[in-house]
Amino acid sequence: MIGQTRKLKSVPLQNVHFEQGFWADRQLTNREKTIPAIYNKLESTGRLAAFDLDPNQTPPKHHSVIRKFYDSDSGKWLEAVGYSLRTHPDPALEQQADDLIDRMARAQQPDGYLNSYFPVMEKEYRWRNLRDWHEMYNAGHLIEGAVAYHEATGKSKVVDILSRFADHIDSLFGPDEGKKRGYPGHPELELALVKLYRATNEPRYLNLATYFINERGQQPHYFDIEAHNRGEDPEDFWAQTYHYCQAHEPLREQTKATGHAVRACYLYAGLADVALESGDQSLVETARRLWDDLTEHQMYIIGSLGPARSNEGFTFDYDLPNETAYAETCAAISLVFFAQRMFQLDQNARYIDIMERALYNGVLSGVAYDGTHFFYANPLAAYPKVNPHDPWSAVKSDPHYRREEWFPCPCCPPNLARLVASIGSYFYSVAGDTIYVNLYDSNRSDIDLNGHRIQLTQQTNYPWDETIQITVNVDQPAAFTLALRIPGWCRDARLQVNGQDVALNSASGYARISREWASGDQVSLTLAMPVERMVSHPKVRQNAGQIALQRGPVVYCLEEVDNGTDLANVSLPRGSALATKFDPELFGGVSVITGTANRYVPRAWKGGLYQPETVTLVDSPSFTFKAIPYCFWANRAPGEMRVWIRED
Amino acid sequence: MIGQTRKLKSVPLQNVHFEQGFWADRQLTNREKTIPAIYNKLESTGRLAAFDLDPNQTPPKHHSVIRKFYDSDSGKWLEAVGYSLRTHPDPALEQQADDLIDRMARAQQPDGYLNSYFPVMEKEYRWRNLRDWHEMYNAGHLIEGAVAYHEATGKSKVVDILSRFADHIDSLFGPDEGKKRGYPGHPELELALVKLYRATNEPRYLNLATYFINERGQQPHYFDIEAHNRGEDPEDFWAQTYHYCQAHEPLREQTKATGHAVRACYLYAGLADVALESGDQSLVETARRLWDDLTEHQMYIIGSLGPARSNEGFTFDYDLPNETAYAETCAAISLVFFAQRMFQLDQNARYIDIMERALYNGVLSGVAYDGTHFFYANPLAAYPKVNPHDPWSAVKSDPHYRREEWFPCPCCPPNLARLVASIGSYFYSVAGDTIYVNLYDSNRSDIDLNGHRIQLTQQTNYPWDETIQITVNVDQPAAFTLALRIPGWCRDARLQVNGQDVALNSASGYARISREWASGDQVSLTLAMPVERMVSHPKVRQNAGQIALQRGPVVYCLEEVDNGTDLANVSLPRGSALATKFDPELFGGVSVITGTANRYVPRAWKGGLYQPETVTLVDSPSFTFKAIPYCFWANRAPGEMRVWIRED
């Protein structure tokens, strides 16, 4: 099975063209607003200048902990630029990237080490704290940026720089005699090394990634040794447990997703990459086991992860608080990456179902409609003065949790930029004679299938409309299988080829149409999108008695601006009618949901906080509620928001 | 009006005798278990030895911040001992207290300064950080202990020591030329100085308390000046705002209870004391305003305060989360103190209603039935791995939030001990020819009313029974008014004198019976105690759609040990019958509530976290639930707990 998966190839980014539709809009904003805004912040906060390594420069007012992961932000921006250039050349942007690369070149130490912090600020502390200090994490993001930029431009300079850095790391860490048995405290380098291996064909990079995966959590524990070497007690770890960084036991023994959510999914994605390359069945099983745990016990309905601020991550099964949900934007993004690898391993649509859930909800909520403001934490209910980011929020003067231009730790904005810029690469894959169509949106794609040039054109207003028209064009009639993902959320899918109904014949979540295709062949897929009242697993205590509205892959919410205040007192009568309406004016066109809701309004509350129910006269006026897609909340007048709504 | 209030006197502790009943049980446990257990901890943690001021002693493994308020624990223990000795002489206990006092005497500095930390550990930092360092707070608790012990034993040594300390403080701080305009960052000294004034008749102590109340929050701000003097930026205050310590503006301008809940109520109690002594109407109004804000916008149904762990205190109006409720035991206790002063100001039963709510719920939940384990935080819902004390609780191995023997900051255990030991002093007050009966429990009290010796004997199984029999004995027939509190929770009270119905004629919450009383006169008060389904103010979003069970002053909860797991899925049918049963075996005898509840049990959940409601088959088996008094939760098998229960 794994032998086959190595043959699976994503249709590359530059071959998938969005001209209008949902992702075309997102990418336009990303190119015109987000990528430039991030560049300006990299510059104004000193992240670019940090590579100039002037020991006399006064760093901006950032704590050294923050400064230690500056480079990751630059790396992610470079990666976003690489993806964007592949579909939309932009010489000025390319010049900015080249300038950054020049700075990196000058900053690189003679031995290949590259980091904008340590050589200047704490020269003697290089590689002394892999547990906390992000050097490998930074390296990973720089490598990802380098590979993306190289693939976009063909320029090799940045890959050469990062290869030298990877060589340096490889010379220091590994299982060989004389090397340290270290690995990243903040995983990310693993998946980056696999990318670098694929870009360069240098097997040492894959070997190093494999070593990191194998060594993690082994005894004697490297983070213990390292702490002792620093004269510290390993027990005094601020995060309290190596579960935080998924290093509490060897990966093959891990059964639960634990700790920091973003680290977890980056690690699991890297693990799956190594599994894919090696065919190591024990790693494949580990990846599946962790995926299942994560998505069946610890995932928000918006496809995001990590309820807790304390560890920016997981707590325990079914613990999914709404107002205080941390649900970091990067965590939803990292889940997309993990899902992509799981699909590559197993070619099962259930992974894409989760990817799609994350994309349309917990990922895109991270960026404002304007493209220049961002959420770090993505609560599923908002109430003035409650900020999952900040336990002191209630004492602050600004009562509303709003998107911000930047953060002390700005990991999320460039992460959004690189994912939106690369979304096309998630749409199609080919393996053998099968083309997998995983995501839906209007686009034209040019696909190379065993030497055949095949063009698929999707026409749809997905995710707002139920119907997707796919036109096939081929250089010459060709026999192949078109595997159309039937989303898990869809309970009534219909398929036609050239106007004729086709039995769905779905396996692993794909409707497979095997035939000889000719140019002009038309496939019509209709995915019924009634509004669903979703309920949570009965162990999710926070959602007891409540439902969430979902239509297609899109989760909805109520906002105060549409529905008034005190949303906790709004309830939906069970089974009442729900209507969908496309509003072309709202956020460039989205579907909204309306229906009748009740409002709990006690009459003549006599004051005080508590009174007997028997003396409480209650009105329950009904009103027409309006729900909007969750990912667009907090783009209008600030106020309350709720995803989970009480049901009568 | 204020002129009159100065004439109000509490019937002193030693005149109120509990022999059996609710408080007799609590006091027995307090004397035999709690007070000795706390002494052992004071000793084993080095708090007593800290007074020996040996610069070479190795302090126990406590952070210096913790060490800085050691003395407050010793002071509260001494106070508890003083109260206990007044009703239950105990030479061995008295000897322990005398030994502590000897230590304090030796530790006192020549200038009167007394603190077990600074003279040894940071001599030069004395009085340099009133905002954070608790010297005045410690002084207050030592003074309260001294006064209580002096009143119990007649021994003056400890009052002399603390008077010298108070004189020292008075010599340094105040409005006079050459003194610093400081005041306590952690209020408490204010009310203690009023006690010391009443015990010694030294007006300087009242003047100093009055100065503290007047100066607080004035500009230029003393805490700013102090920070500058330490070379610090006042903006870098860890608590972010002077709201934390109620010093953000002058007290007379404050309209909201803010910040650290215990500091707030200690301060407001001291403010009310100064108002009571001075008759200053602007202070009386401030006290009333803050009381109303606190109890009408920011109080849990258990009579506790402060939802947030971050500031151990208030957030914003109607923000009352249940699982994460901090609701510190000390906060409920401090509310009792504030309520007592408000009653002294206004003689309105509504203050005692709140006092009673706190006593039977949020105060007593702080101590285990065994008397030797304590809660610091008192959540209103418990779920394994959720600990309002500790944001890392979910990663710990012990999943349940349980009472502990001690805490790094053990303010709550001795606070409970002193309150339980002194509960008799809250029962009766006299003013003019009126005897106020504020609390109910079997007891015999000897009351001096303008020279008349009056004995009231209550016989009742309150708070479990509705009926209170009061027998009057007088040295000779005497005309006076018996003012019986009709609790705010009671909607059907009946009163008889010598078997004859008497109209309630209630004003300010008191049924007043004015007559000539003779020995053997019988008063029978029946306070109907149906089980009430309580609802919250509609702005309390956390309790939307939920009710709490209350009977008399006692709030109930469901525990897993009685009702199974997943209590979020339990709901009570609206209007269903609820029964009360006295269980003599449970916790020495308590009333429990039973009735029919429904359990939400989805059938054939197909896996995963979310599914459409329409495909979810649900069983709703009914079962007989059992609710126990909230204050006794977590004394049996650990598990879930809920006060607020969903209603169908």
Side-chain angles (χ1 to χ4, degrees):
Chain A
M1 182 168 180
I2 295 303
Q4 180 206 329
T5 61
R6 278 292 279 125
K7 290 190 220 129
L8 185 89
K9 297 246 183 288
S10 295
V11 171
L13 186 51
Q14 67 272 23
N15 293 12
V16 182
H17 308 276
F18 301 100
E19 270 155 30
Q20 62 175 18
F22 187 89
W23 287 106
D25 289 351
R26 303 286 88 72
Q27 288 201 328
L28 181 68
T29 304
N30 194 51
R31 278 194 310 279
E32 296 194 345
K33 305 290 184 185
T34 308
I35 291 175
I38 293 169
Y39 183 80
N40 290 340
K41 288 292 183 183
L42 294 179
E43 188 154 60
S44 66
T45 61
R47 279 166 168 77
L48 301 180
F51 282 114
D52 300 340
L53 298 182
D54 175 357
N56 300 316
Q57 89 192 36
T58 304
K61 206 184 166 186
H62 280 164
H63 192 277
S64 68
V65 168
I66 302 291
R67 288 222 44 197
K68 288 189 177 84
F69 47 86
Y70 266 18
D71 299 356
S72 63
D73 305 316
S74 302
K76 277 187 278 191
W77 178 81
L78 181 64
E79 189 181 348
V81 170
Y83 298 142
S84 189
L85 293 177
R86 273 163 82 179
T87 54
H88 295 81
D90 179 337
L93 183 62
E94 190 169 331
Q95 186 58 54
Q96 286 179 331
D98 285 334
D99 290 345
L100 166 61
I101 291 164
D102 288 343
R103 283 177 139 145
M104 287 161 50
R106 287 194 298 271
Q108 188 162 38
Q109 303 293 296
D111 60 1
Y113 184 84
L114 177 56
N115 184 293
S116 71
Y117 179 82
F118 284 94
V120 188
M121 308 294 284
E122 299 184 30
K123 204 174 315 228
E124 64 283 21
Y125 289 109
R126 257 205 211 186
W127 303 123
R128 282 191 60 187
N129 188 344
L130 299 191
R131 188 189 72 189
D132 298 332
W133 285 352
H134 306 284
E135 284 160 294
M136 289 189 174
Y137 169 74
N138 286 321
H141 278 303
L142 291 174
I143 288 170
E144 284 202 275
V147 170
Y149 190 72
H150 168 66
E151 289 182 351
T153 61
K155 296 176 182 172
S156 63
K157 178 172 182 174
V158 70
V159 167
D160 293 343
I161 293 169
L162 272 301
S163 294
R164 286 182 58 215
F165 189 14
D167 295 341
H168 169 70
I169 297 172
D170 185 50
S171 73
L172 295 176
F173 299 96
D176 309 327
E177 189 69 29
K179 292 184 180 179
K180 294 186 191 177
R181 298 187 73 93
Y183 46 86
H186 193 315
E188 141 69 11
L189 182 55
E190 299 86 345
L191 72 86
L193 284 169
V194 176
K195 283 190 178 180
L196 188 62
Y197 156 68
R198 291 172 183 162
T200 63
N201 287 315
E202 172 51 64
R204 281 188 295 107
Y205 303 145
L206 177 60
N207 292 344
L208 184 57
T210 306
Y211 156 76
F212 285 151
I213 296 295
N214 290 337
E215 186 64 19
R216 193 168 203 87
Q218 303 288 352
Q219 293 294 344
H221 203 288
Y222 185 76
F223 296 160
D224 286 351
I225 294 167
E226 212 192 34
H228 287 303
N229 289 343
R230 293 192 306 270
E232 295 169 11
D233 180 351
E235 295 288 311
D236 288 343
F237 182 29
W238 66 273
Q240 307 221 9
T241 163
Y242 292 148
H243 288 80
Y244 173 72
C245 43
Q246 302 83 37
H248 52 295
E249 59 189 356
L251 271 169
R252 287 175 182 79
E253 295 169 25
Q254 295 188 20
T255 57
K256 298 290 303 169
T258 69
H260 189 277
V262 182
R263 296 179 197 224
C265 282
Y266 284 173
L267 174 64
Y268 306 155
L271 180 154
D273 277 336
V274 170
L276 198 62
E277 294 295 338
S278 67
D280 180 332
Q281 201 58 30
S282 68
L283 285 183
V284 175
E285 279 157 21
T286 298
R288 288 184 188 136
R289 192 168 63 235
L290 292 167
W291 172 271
D292 287 349
D293 175 64
L294 197 122
T295 56
E296 291 181 12
H297 306 137
Q298 308 202 72
M299 183 187 72
Y300 283 101
I301 195 169
I302 58 170
S304 199
L305 306 171
R309 179 187 169 280
S310 56
N311 64 348
E312 299 195 308
F314 300 109
T315 55
F316 52 89
D317 284 359
Y318 306 110
D319 183 39
L320 296 163
N322 292 306
E323 271 185 14
T324 58
Y326 204 70
E328 185 180 338
T329 302
C330 286
I333 292 171
S334 71
L335 180 59
V336 170
F337 299 154
F338 186 22
Q340 181 190 33
R341 272 70 171 185
M342 292 309 297
F343 166 75
Q344 289 167 348
L345 278 174
D346 283 353
Q347 288 92 65
N348 191 307
R350 69 193 187 100
Y351 302 115
I352 310 298
D353 288 345
I354 299 288
M355 177 194 285
E356 189 183 47
R357 182 179 289 283
L359 282 173
Y360 284 104
N361 302 291
V363 168
L364 283 180
S365 60
V367 56
Y369 185 64
D370 69 12
T372 60
H373 293 78
F374 308 93
F375 275 146
Y376 193 115
N378 293 271
L380 283 84
Y383 199 86
K385 291 181 177 272
V386 178
N387 179 345
H389 228 356
D390 177 3
W392 292 97
S393 55
V395 306
K396 302 291 177 60
S397 54
D398 179 3
H400 293 100
Y401 182 62
R402 304 285 281 167
R403 293 186 185 84
E404 296 177 45
E405 287 190 351
W406 200 242
F407 305 94
C409 168
C411 49
C412 301
N415 223 350
L416 281 158
R418 65 175 178 150
L419 178 58
V420 173
S422 63
I423 192 68
S425 66
Y426 295 86
F427 270 61
Y428 304 95
S429 292
V430 297
D433 71 346
T434 301
I435 300 175
Y436 290 94
V437 183
N438 277 330
L439 298 175
Y440 298 109
D441 189 18
S442 286
N443 73 88
R444 194 189 75 246
S445 60
D446 298 304
I447 300 172
D448 176 353
L449 185 73
N450 307 319
H452 286 286
R453 289 196 13 247
I454 296 159
Q455 191 177 72
L456 300 181
T457 305
Q458 289 190 37
Q459 286 179 290
T460 178
N461 196 24
Y462 194 91
W464 316 122
D465 274 5
E466 303 186 334
T467 304
I468 301 120
Q469 294 287 348
I470 302 176
T471 305
V472 178
N473 273 295
V474 287
D475 51 358
Q476 52 183 314
F480 61 88
T481 300
L482 200 57
L484 302 173
R485 174 174 153 263
I486 306 302
W489 53 257
C490 181
R491 291 185 288 135
D492 179 17
R494 278 153 293 159
L495 184 59
Q496 290 188 323
V497 176
N498 296 330
Q500 302 296 311
D501 286 347
V502 173
L504 269 182
N505 190 25
S506 141
S508 301
Y510 292 90
R512 289 158 204 268
I513 316 170
S514 300
R515 68 196 304 272
E516 188 171 86
W517 298 89
S519 283
D521 279 345
Q522 295 282 338
V523 177
S524 174
L525 177 65
T526 303
L527 303 170
M529 287 187 180
V531 180
E532 300 278 13
R533 289 171 154 86
M534 301 297 285
V535 293
S536 294
H537 189 284
K539 286 277 181 189
V540 183
R541 67 199 188 283
Q542 290 96 349
N543 299 342
Q546 297 175 89
I547 55 103
L549 299 176
Q550 183 177 333
R551 181 173 177 271
V554 178
V555 175
Y556 282 72
C557 68
L558 300 189
E559 277 199 292
E560 182 178 327
V561 65
D562 298 312
N563 301 286
T565 190
D566 298 325
L567 295 177
N569 293 335
V570 170
S571 58
L572 299 194
R574 178 178 288 236
S576 61
L578 298 167
T580 303
K581 191 181 73 174
F582 185 73
D583 182 345
E585 303 301 316
L586 192 62
F587 308 126
V590 302
S591 289
V592 300
I593 297 170
T594 57
T596 299
N598 297 322
R599 205 185 291 279
Y600 171 89
V601 183
R603 232 189 304 160
W605 188 268
K606 62 177 179 174
L609 273 163
Y610 308 103
Q611 67 183 31
E613 187 174 44
T614 47
V615 306
T616 308
L617 298 174
V618 176
D619 292 326
S620 296
S622 65
F623 69 103
T624 299
F625 78 84
K626 175 177 169 184
I628 67 156
Y630 169 79
C631 66
F632 289 113
W633 88 272
N635 278 296
R636 297 173 296 162
E640 295 180 36
M641 180 277 292
R642 275 179 91 96
V643 169
W644 292 95
I645 305 156
R646 288 196 302 118
E647 200 178 46
D648 281 339
Chain B
M1 182 169 178
I2 296 301
Q4 177 206 332
T5 61
R6 277 292 281 126
K7 291 192 218 126
L8 184 89
K9 296 249 183 288
S10 295
V11 171
L13 186 51
Q14 67 272 22
N15 291 13
V16 182
H17 308 277
F18 301 101
E19 269 155 29
Q20 64 175 19
F22 187 89
W23 288 106
D25 289 351
R26 305 284 89 73
Q27 288 200 329
L28 181 67
T29 303
N30 193 50
R31 279 195 309 278
E32 296 194 345
K33 304 290 184 184
T34 309
I35 291 175
I38 292 169
Y39 183 80
N40 290 340
K41 288 292 185 185
L42 293 180
E43 189 153 58
S44 66
T45 60
R47 280 166 166 77
L48 300 179
F51 282 114
D52 300 342
L53 297 183
D54 174 357
N56 300 315
Q57 90 193 36
T58 306
K61 205 185 165 187
H62 279 165
H63 191 279
S64 69
V65 168
I66 302 291
R67 287 220 47 196
K68 287 189 176 85
F69 47 85
Y70 266 20
D71 299 356
S72 64
D73 305 315
S74 302
K76 276 188 276 191
W77 177 82
L78 181 65
E79 189 181 349
V81 170
Y83 298 142
S84 188
L85 293 176
R86 272 162 85 178
T87 54
H88 295 80
D90 179 338
L93 183 63
E94 190 168 333
Q95 186 58 53
Q96 286 180 330
D98 285 336
D99 290 345
L100 167 61
I101 291 163
D102 289 344
R103 283 178 139 144
M104 288 160 52
R106 287 193 299 269
Q108 189 161 37
Q109 304 291 297
D111 60 2
Y113 184 83
L114 176 57
N115 185 293
S116 71
Y117 180 82
F118 284 95
V120 188
M121 307 294 285
E122 299 185 31
K123 205 173 313 227
E124 65 281 21
Y125 289 109
R126 256 205 213 188
W127 303 124
R128 283 192 60 188
N129 188 344
L130 299 189
R131 188 189 73 189
D132 297 332
W133 286 353
H134 305 286
E135 284 160 294
M136 288 189 174
Y137 170 74
N138 286 321
H141 277 303
L142 290 173
I143 288 169
E144 284 202 275
V147 170
Y149 190 72
H150 168 66
E151 289 182 351
T153 61
K155 295 175 183 173
S156 63
K157 179 173 181 175
V158 70
V159 167
D160 293 343
I161 293 169
L162 272 300
S163 293
R164 285 183 57 215
F165 189 15
D167 293 342
H168 169 70
I169 297 171
D170 184 51
S171 75
L172 294 176
F173 299 97
D176 310 326
E177 188 71 26
K179 291 185 181 179
K180 294 185 189 177
R181 298 186 73 94
Y183 46 86
H186 193 317
E188 141 69 11
L189 182 55
E190 299 85 346
L191 71 85
L193 284 169
V194 176
K195 281 191 178 179
L196 188 63
Y197 157 68
R198 289 171 183 164
T200 62
N201 287 317
E202 171 53 62
R204 280 187 296 108
Y205 302 145
L206 177 60
N207 292 343
L208 184 57
T210 306
Y211 156 75
F212 285 150
I213 295 296
N214 290 337
E215 186 64 18
R216 192 168 205 88
Q218 301 288 352
Q219 294 293 344
H221 203 289
Y222 186 75
F223 296 160
D224 285 351
I225 295 167
E226 213 190 32
H228 287 303
N229 289 343
R230 292 193 304 271
E232 295 168 12
D233 180 353
E235 295 289 310
D236 288 342
F237 182 28
W238 65 273
Q240 307 223 8
T241 164
Y242 293 149
H243 288 81
Y244 174 73
C245 45
Q246 301 83 39
H248 52 294
E249 58 188 357
L251 271 169
R252 286 175 181 78
E253 295 169 25
Q254 295 188 20
T255 58
K256 299 289 304 169
T258 70
H260 189 275
V262 181
R263 296 180 197 223
C265 282
Y266 284 172
L267 174 64
Y268 306 155
L271 179 155
D273 277 336
V274 170
L276 198 62
E277 294 295 337
S278 66
D280 180 331
Q281 200 60 28
S282 67
L283 285 183
V284 174
E285 279 157 20
T286 299
R288 288 183 188 136
R289 191 167 66 233
L290 292 168
W291 172 271
D292 287 349
D293 175 64
L294 196 123
T295 57
E296 291 181 12
H297 306 136
Q298 308 202 72
M299 183 186 71
Y300 282 102
I301 194 169
I302 59 171
S304 199
L305 306 171
R309 179 186 169 279
S310 57
N311 64 348
E312 301 194 309
F314 300 108
T315 53
F316 52 89
D317 284 0
Y318 305 111
D319 183 39
L320 296 162
N322 292 306
E323 271 184 14
T324 57
Y326 204 71
E328 184 181 338
T329 302
C330 285
I333 292 172
S334 71
L335 180 59
V336 170
F337 299 155
F338 186 22
Q340 181 191 34
R341 271 71 170 187
M342 292 310 298
F343 167 75
Q344 289 166 348
L345 279 174
D346 283 352
Q347 288 91 66
N348 191 306
R350 70 192 186 100
Y351 302 114
I352 310 298
D353 289 343
I354 299 286
M355 177 193 287
E356 189 183 47
R357 182 180 288 283
L359 283 173
Y360 284 103
N361 303 292
V363 168
L364 283 179
S365 60
V367 57
Y369 185 64
D370 70 11
T372 61
H373 293 80
F374 307 94
F375 275 146
Y376 193 115
N378 292 272
L380 283 82
Y383 199 85
K385 291 180 177 272
V386 179
N387 179 345
H389 228 358
D390 177 3
W392 292 96
S393 55
V395 305
K396 303 291 177 60
S397 54
D398 180 5
H400 294 100
Y401 182 61
R402 305 285 282 166
R403 292 184 186 86
E404 295 177 46
E405 288 190 349
W406 200 242
F407 304 94
C409 169
C411 48
C412 302
N415 223 350
L416 281 158
R418 67 175 178 150
L419 179 57
V420 172
S422 63
I423 192 68
S425 66
Y426 296 87
F427 269 61
Y428 304 96
S429 291
V430 298
D433 71 345
T434 299
I435 300 175
Y436 288 95
V437 183
N438 277 329
L439 298 175
Y440 299 109
D441 189 18
S442 285
N443 74 87
R444 196 189 73 244
S445 61
D446 298 304
I447 299 170
D448 176 353
L449 184 73
N450 307 320
H452 286 288
R453 291 199 7 251
I454 296 159
Q455 189 177 73
L456 299 182
T457 304
Q458 288 191 36
Q459 284 179 292
T460 178
N461 194 24
Y462 193 92
W464 317 121
D465 274 5
E466 303 186 331
T467 305
I468 300 122
Q469 293 288 350
I470 301 175
T471 305
V472 178
N473 273 296
V474 287
D475 51 355
Q476 53 184 310
F480 62 89
T481 300
L482 200 56
L484 302 172
R485 174 175 152 261
I486 306 302
W489 52 258
C490 181
R491 290 185 288 134
D492 177 18
R494 278 152 292 156
L495 185 60
Q496 290 189 323
V497 177
N498 296 329
Q500 301 296 310
D501 287 345
V502 173
L504 268 183
N505 190 26
S506 142
S508 302
Y510 292 90
R512 290 159 203 268
I513 316 171
S514 299
R515 69 197 303 274
E516 188 170 87
W517 297 89
S519 282
D521 279 346
Q522 294 284 338
V523 177
S524 175
L525 177 64
T526 302
L527 302 169
M529 286 188 183
V531 179
E532 300 277 14
R533 287 171 157 84
M534 302 296 287
V535 292
S536 295
H537 188 283
K539 287 275 182 192
V540 183
R541 68 198 187 282
Q542 291 96 348
N543 298 341
Q546 297 175 88
I547 56 103
L549 300 175
Q550 182 176 335
R551 180 172 179 270
V554 178
V555 175
Y556 282 71
C557 68
L558 299 189
E559 275 198 295
E560 182 178 326
V561 65
D562 299 313
N563 301 287
T565 189
D566 299 325
L567 295 177
N569 293 335
V570 170
S571 58
L572 298 193
R574 179 179 287 237
S576 62
L578 298 167
T580 303
K581 191 181 73 175
F582 185 72
D583 181 346
E585 303 301 315
L586 192 63
F587 308 125
V590 302
S591 289
V592 299
I593 297 170
T594 57
T596 297
N598 296 324
R599 205 184 291 278
Y600 171 87
V601 183
R603 235 190 300 160
W605 188 269
K606 62 177 178 173
L609 273 163
Y610 309 102
Q611 66 184 30
E613 187 173 45
T614 48
V615 304
T616 307
L617 299 173
V618 177
D619 293 326
S620 297
S622 65
F623 70 103
T624 300
F625 78 84
K626 176 177 169 183
I628 67 157
Y630 169 79
C631 66
F632 290 113
W633 89 273
N635 278 296
R636 298 173 296 163
E640 294 179 37
M641 181 276 291
R642 276 179 90 96
V643 169
W644 292 95
I645 306 157
R646 290 197 300 119
E647 200 176 48
D648 281 339

